[in-house]
Amino acid sequence: MLLLAAATAGYGIVVGYIVDQANALTGGGAGSGDSLTRARRYAKIVLPVLLSITLISGVANYAQRILANAVALNAVGDLQKQMFSAAHRADYASFAREPLGNLISKFTNDVTVLSGALVRALSNIVKDVLTIVFVLGMMLWSNWQLTLLIGVLYPLAAWPIIVISKRLRGDANGVQEHIGTITSELKESLGGARMVRAYGLEARETERLDASFNERIRRYLKLVTEQARVDPILEVMGGLAIAGIVIFGVYQVSAGTTTAGSIAAILTWVLILSPRIRALGTLNNVVQEGLSALSRIFAVIDETPTIIDTPNAVPLTDPRGEIDITDAMFSYEDGTQALHGISLTAKAGETVALVGPSGGGKSTVMNLIARLYDVTGGSVKIDGQDVRYVTLSSLRQSMALVSQGVTLFNDTVAANIGFGDLSASRENIIEAAQSADAHSFISTLPNGYDTMIGEEGGTLSGGQRQRLAIARAILRDAPILLLDEATSALDTESESKVQAALERLSHGRTTIVIAHRLSTVTKADKIYVLDAGQIVESGTHKQLLKKRGGIYAKLHKLQLN
Ligand code: ADP
């Protein structure tokens, strides 16, 4: 940057030198011999100077551009990595706090804005300021009277631009905000394509979005109209300023106090300075944008998780999988009290079903066992040890989760099962798949276990995805199984395959199941009925059925019907 600034400033000297040399030759004063010899001599003096300065400037420009970008990209890349690991370290609760799209846009949009701002700040603050300092120094040294005159003229010329720029900023913000509005309208309307078609809302939606698109045109045109004023005004004001310089310069030359070359040098410097000073003027906006992106990024990085290992946490060794929940209370961040003191137990190897109306607190109980959240009162114990005082890794290692929304990663089938145990061999994976009754359908896939699962596993049926999830859990071979049964019905064949696989999976493991299927419920060792954050009934299927007027008996009757 230093080199580039010096070389750029050097252009003025070179131009001045070229003009003075030419002047001397054509003026004939210092020249001798015929015109051709004089021209050769001129070229010999001027060309090397000209070429070296362009070369230095070119190389320096190339290097500084790459270096500045490398610095910015590396810095921002580090932040991106830190942000990602922070997002996964953060409390699970943080994911409920804002839409996932917002978090993702911090990784894409904010990161791009920040790295752009960094490059711009580096080059404007360092390179341009250096150039301005060098150029001003040379101008003062070369012709201080003229430089002082410019110092008075230029700010006057810049005044109208400053006024317009302020208005521009407001307009540009408006346009940005409106882009946000259009984006959410588009997402809503296109995302709801099924509803729109089913209810024949196409015309209404088109009209609604047309209005937004028209508004966009209006706002942009207003912005462009303002912007279009800037250049002509600059040109006229700049022209006037330069005319002033030329007149004063010619006066100086005729008075013999300076040379034509010196005037040419000053004009060159003025042309070099203008865009750089303008860039400094708009730098503030870019820096502000960068800073606000940075603060959004830091908010993610600086978030302190509360669900962490306590200082003297001990590992949960060889857990048998006995679960004791005593008087557990829980409120979500927004104040919703989801559990009002519930107690339940599951002996090692038992299957305990949680049933009840939606919103009753079943998922919350499961989240507490996995310590995705900490109880706000009471306790959750595994093998007599409070989950808050064992290490998180050993706790999570002791359980497998099969949930209705099966998470498949965009990787091979084998890898997707292998997430259950990252050290598993291919044989282990195949065994697990066999046990989950997934082997036969996997074998019919184009590349068997090495078939890539498209995003979200869109090509697999619901039952197949479930069985992959079960294979993953079998591979994990954990003493505790957390099972969130799928609510949406599978076809009868899939259903019975999934059911059989689940039975093999839960055999010998403590299973806490949010149960929707009758078969699961009837076979459970114990059933807890949760309603509005309280356990309202508990017992075996038979015991609960006998309770006339009980919620369970009612639910059961409803399902049978
Ligand atoms: P169930 O699994 O029985 O349907 P949940 O455990 O999901 O019930 O929910 C229990 C209560 O907690 C409900 O009132 C629900 O609205 C509320 N709830 C669940 N998740 C959250 C959350 N992330 N933030 C705030 N409230 C929540």
Side-chain angles (χ1 to χ4, degrees):
M1 286 181 181
L2 201 62
L3 203 56
L4 183 58
T8 310
Y11 273 119
I13 297 199
V14 174
V15 169
Y17 180 72
I18 290 172
V19 170
D20 279 345
Q21 286 298 321
N23 216 9
L25 289 168
T26 50
S32 58
D34 61 38
S35 60
L36 191 63
T37 338
R38 281 193 282 165
R40 283 212 185 108
R41 206 169 69 220
Y42 179 68
K44 250 189 221 158
I45 301 171
V46 163
L47 277 185
V49 181
L50 192 61
L51 285 183
S52 9
I53 197 140
T54 47
L55 199 68
I56 294 174
S57 158
V59 170
N61 196 354
Y62 175 75
Q64 79 85 22
R65 188 150 177 191
I66 293 178
L67 286 175
N69 275 282
V71 166
L73 284 174
N74 275 309
V76 173
D78 278 348
L79 285 179
Q80 202 175 25
K81 290 171 202 163
Q82 285 184 34
M83 184 161 56
F84 186 72
S85 74
H88 269 313
R89 203 172 48 235
D91 289 346
Y92 179 64
S94 70
F95 287 91
R97 224 171 284 145
E98 62 177 343
L100 198 52
N102 286 11
L103 182 58
I104 292 175
S105 103
K106 288 175 191 163
F107 284 92
T108 52
N109 205 20
D110 285 339
V111 159
T112 313
V113 169
L114 180 60
S115 105
L118 255 180
V119 171
R120 174 82 201 271
L122 271 177
S123 80
N124 283 170
I125 295 175
V126 185
K127 187 184 74 186
D128 289 353
V129 168
L130 277 177
T131 310
I132 291 170
V133 169
F134 281 8
V135 167
L136 279 180
M138 287 195 190
M139 283 170 80
L140 284 171
W141 165 75
S142 148
N143 191 335
W144 63 270
Q145 298 96 331
L146 200 45
T147 308
L148 289 185
L149 176 71
I150 295 166
V152 177
L153 282 184
Y154 250 80
L156 289 180
W159 183 247
I161 302 300
I162 294 174
V163 174
I164 292 184
S165 297
K166 273 209 183 116
R167 216 174 317 149
L168 268 178
R169 207 172 307 160
D171 287 347
N173 280 345
V175 166
Q176 280 300 329
E177 272 165 30
H178 190 248
I179 289 177
T181 315
I182 288 196
T183 311
S184 49
E185 283 179 348
L186 277 175
K187 226 173 109 185
E188 188 183 290
S189 188
L190 297 176
R194 195 154 82 140
M195 266 308 148
V196 170
R197 280 172 181 61
Y199 281 82
L201 300 175
E202 292 90 341
R204 176 184 169 275
E205 287 299 285
T206 310
E207 210 173 286
R208 195 164 69 103
L209 267 293
D210 277 358
S212 280
F213 295 140
N214 286 336
E215 175 66 13
R216 187 186 117 93
I217 296 174
R218 193 189 67 78
R219 284 178 190 238
Y220 255 105
L221 264 183
K222 184 155 170 266
L223 181 65
V224 171
T225 312
E226 290 279 347
Q227 278 172 338
R229 286 191 200 145
V230 173
D231 284 343
I233 292 180
L234 260 185
E235 220 162 307
V236 172
M237 300 305 270
L240 286 176
I242 285 180
I245 297 171
V246 170
I247 290 171
F248 186 75
V250 169
Y251 164 77
Q252 277 189 320
V253 173
S254 60
T257 54
T258 192
T259 63
S262 162
I263 305 299
I266 294 278
L267 284 177
T268 308
W269 280 322
V270 166
L271 293 179
I272 290 176
L273 279 186
S274 300
R276 287 169 172 81
I277 291 177
R278 261 185 94 186
L280 280 186
T282 55
L283 179 64
N284 187 39
N285 292 347
V286 182
V287 169
Q288 290 307 328
E289 264 177 38
L291 283 180
S292 76
L294 189 63
S295 76
R296 282 189 293 271
I297 290 173
F298 274 147
V300 178
I301 294 179
D302 289 344
E303 167 139 0
T304 11
T306 56
I307 310 276
I308 45 171
D309 285 349
T310 47
N312 34 18
V314 291
L316 191 65
T317 35
D318 287 325
R320 288 168 294 115
E322 190 175 294
I323 298 172
D324 265 300
I325 300 181
T326 318
D327 295 328
M329 313 242 239
F330 184 73
S331 307
Y332 282 100
E333 276 180 352
D334 65 356
T336 313
Q337 179 141 19
L339 298 178
H340 300 266
I342 63 147
S343 298
L344 65 83
T345 55
K347 292 203 189 74
E350 272 187 350
T351 292
V352 166
L354 307 178
V355 299
S358 133
K362 303 181 290 293
S363 315
T364 307
V365 169
M366 214 167 244
N367 291 339
L368 290 181
I369 296 174
R371 207 186 162 213
L372 293 177
Y373 299 92
D374 273 339
V375 285
T376 39
S379 67
V380 176
K381 287 183 181 151
I382 292 179
D383 290 358
Q385 277 180 286
D386 195 309
V387 291
R388 282 168 294 182
Y389 305 118
V390 298
T391 61
L392 270 177
S393 61
S394 70
L395 174 71
R396 305 266 166 80
Q397 194 62 44
S398 75
M399 46 190 68
L401 170 71
V402 177
S403 66
Q404 44 176 312
V406 178
T407 305
L408 295 177
F409 296 93
N410 192 15
D411 205 326
T412 63
V413 170
N416 266 285
I417 298 175
F419 290 126
D421 174 5
L422 293 175
S423 64
S425 67
R426 181 53 74 101
E427 286 70 41
N428 297 150
I429 289 175
I430 294 176
E431 266 171 39
Q434 279 164 337
S435 183
D437 202 0
H439 181 72
S440 50
F441 88 76
I442 294 173
S443 307
T444 63
L445 295 175
N447 294 315
Y449 282 83
D450 296 314
T451 308
M452 291 296 292
I453 292 181
E455 223 170 281
E456 298 286 306
T459 50
L460 298 174
S461 78
Q464 290 170 333
R465 296 162 54 110
Q466 287 271 327
R467 279 178 278 156
L468 285 186
I470 293 169
R472 188 187 285 168
I474 290 176
L475 193 65
R476 190 161 191 81
D477 195 21
I480 296 171
L481 172 65
L482 301 177
L483 179 59
D484 188 358
E485 276 187 349
T487 35
S488 53
L490 301 171
D491 59 83
T492 324
E493 194 199 332
S494 288
E495 165 97 38
S496 68
K497 280 183 178 162
V498 167
Q499 197 60 39
L502 279 176
E503 265 164 38
R504 282 194 292 276
L505 169 62
S506 65
H507 184 77
R509 300 177 213 277
T510 313
T511 306
I512 305 287
V513 52
I514 295 179
H516 304 290
R517 298 185 176 95
L518 266 182
S519 51
T520 312
V521 186
T522 47
K523 280 184 201 157
D525 295 301
K526 221 179 292 166
I527 299 164
Y528 289 93
V529 184
L530 275 93
D531 188 15
Q534 274 169 328
I535 292 177
V536 288
E537 290 169 22
S538 65
T540 62
H541 173 70
K542 274 189 190 147
Q543 290 166 342
L544 288 177
L545 272 192
K546 279 190 202 132
K547 269 187 114 174
R548 295 203 178 278
I551 293 195
Y552 183 81
K554 262 192 237 161
L555 284 175
H556 185 254
K557 208 165 145 195
L558 266 175
Q559 283 208 7
L560 276 187
N561 284 348

